[in-house]
Amino acid sequence: MIWLIGGTGESRSIAQALTGARVPWVATVTTARAAGLYTGLPGQVGVGPLNAETLGAFLAAHRPRAVVDASHPFAAQISRLAMAAGLPYLRYERPSVSLAPETEQFPDFAALLHSQVLDRRRVLLTIGVKALPLLASLQGRAALWARVLPESAEQAHSAGFALNRLILTRPPVDAGAERELWQRLAVDTVVTKEGGEAGGVAVKQAVARQLGVRLVVIARPTLAYPRQTADLSEVLAFAQKFLHPASDQ
């Protein structure tokens, strides 16, 4: 069995490919909504966060022979946990989007927080609810709005954002919707994460150029993956190799 770390659209495609190749798999996701990605597929799906305390029970229950990590590029915690699990590991990394010269990039949220680029700005944060506590302290220095999933409203409010400063939307967001929102809020700066094409970086760059809005991008965490690919055929070859190791002899 292959352990598929999921929760992304790419992980759904991988699950479909594994199913087509008759490779058994168990996917892990953090939310029940993410589990819906695998509706109609025969694999098992575990829901809930994994950590150092619960990983052992998961591995004992499913006995995977290898792990394919198709988690979000910013889900560094689960990636580190999986790399330390002692299993053959392959990272499926979605391709990055080339950044335009006018797009500003920061290596992490700490670097952005300690800069002054958001001071006295009208800022839309499209960084996910988990990162909001990191930037909540900027509210005295800038006018902030945060776009989060509808089910994350309470968590965002607990992070220090007033309900009237929350934009509740489910991705993907097309260029027209982005343009309408940015103009309605009269923002001059948008902060996002380098989540690739699926994360809407290309769309945001295009709209930022049209409206003259500053776009700030947080770079992906730098992890030393032992092996990574963006090629689905390589994922299949990897999975089949570790399910049938004798075939390589």
Side-chain angles (χ1 to χ4, degrees):
M1 178 174 290
I2 297 297
W3 171 20
L4 173 62
I5 304 177
T8 59
E10 295 92 344
S11 69
R12 161 81 186 189
S13 298
I14 292 172
Q16 289 175 315
L18 293 175
T19 298
R22 297 186 178 181
V23 175
W25 52 271
V26 54
T28 54
V29 297
T30 56
T31 67
R33 183 173 185 85
L37 286 167
Y38 313 99
T39 300
L41 297 177
Q44 302 175 61
V45 182
V47 179
L50 283 175
N51 52 46
E53 288 70 36
T54 59
L55 179 62
F58 168 79
L59 295 177
H62 298 283
R63 298 189 177 276
R65 295 189 178 183
V67 54
V68 174
D69 180 2
S71 61
H72 189 277
F74 281 78
Q77 183 175 353
I78 185 61
S79 294
R80 292 190 183 99
L81 187 69
M83 284 189 282
L87 294 169
Y89 173 99
L90 176 64
R91 168 66 177 170
Y92 183 88
E93 182 82 339
R94 66 173 61 157
S96 297
V97 171
S98 296
L99 298 183
E102 65 270 20
T103 299
E104 300 181 38
Q105 186 174 42
F106 284 81
D108 50 38
F109 287 107
L112 177 61
L113 184 64
H114 288 101
S115 75
Q116 297 180 331
V117 300
L118 301 185
D119 286 8
R120 297 177 297 280
R121 296 279 185 166
R122 295 175 65 86
V123 183
L124 174 63
L125 302 175
T126 63
I127 57 176
V129 70
K130 292 181 180 179
L132 290 184
L134 301 175
L135 300 184
S137 63
L138 290 175
Q139 292 184 96
R141 294 157 49 185
L144 301 182
W145 287 264
R147 185 166 69 198
V148 298
L149 296 173
E151 60 267 27
S152 299
E154 184 176 345
Q155 187 177 351
H157 184 52
S158 298
F161 286 78
L163 295 178
N164 64 355
R165 292 288 180 150
L166 299 179
I167 310 301
L168 307 181
T169 308
R170 193 172 302 286
V173 181
D174 63 26
E178 287 285 20
R179 187 164 47 248
E180 186 279 329
L181 175 63
W182 298 11
Q183 290 177 318
R184 175 164 57 85
L185 299 178
V187 295
D188 55 43
T189 305
V190 173
V191 181
T192 192
K193 299 188 296 188
E194 207 295 270
E197 191 75 32
V201 175
V203 169
K204 292 184 181 76
Q205 286 197 128
V207 176
R209 188 177 301 113
Q210 292 171 5
L211 299 182
V213 168
R214 168 191 274 178
L215 182 63
V216 175
V217 175
I218 305 300
R220 298 179 183 184
T222 301
L223 298 182
Y225 299 117
R227 181 177 177 182
Q228 73 178 75
T229 186
D231 186 341
L232 186 56
S233 64
E234 186 174 345
V235 173
L236 280 179
F238 171 86
Q240 291 169 327
K241 172 182 177 180
F242 287 105
L243 280 186
H244 307 290
S247 63
D248 289 343
Q249 298 178 359

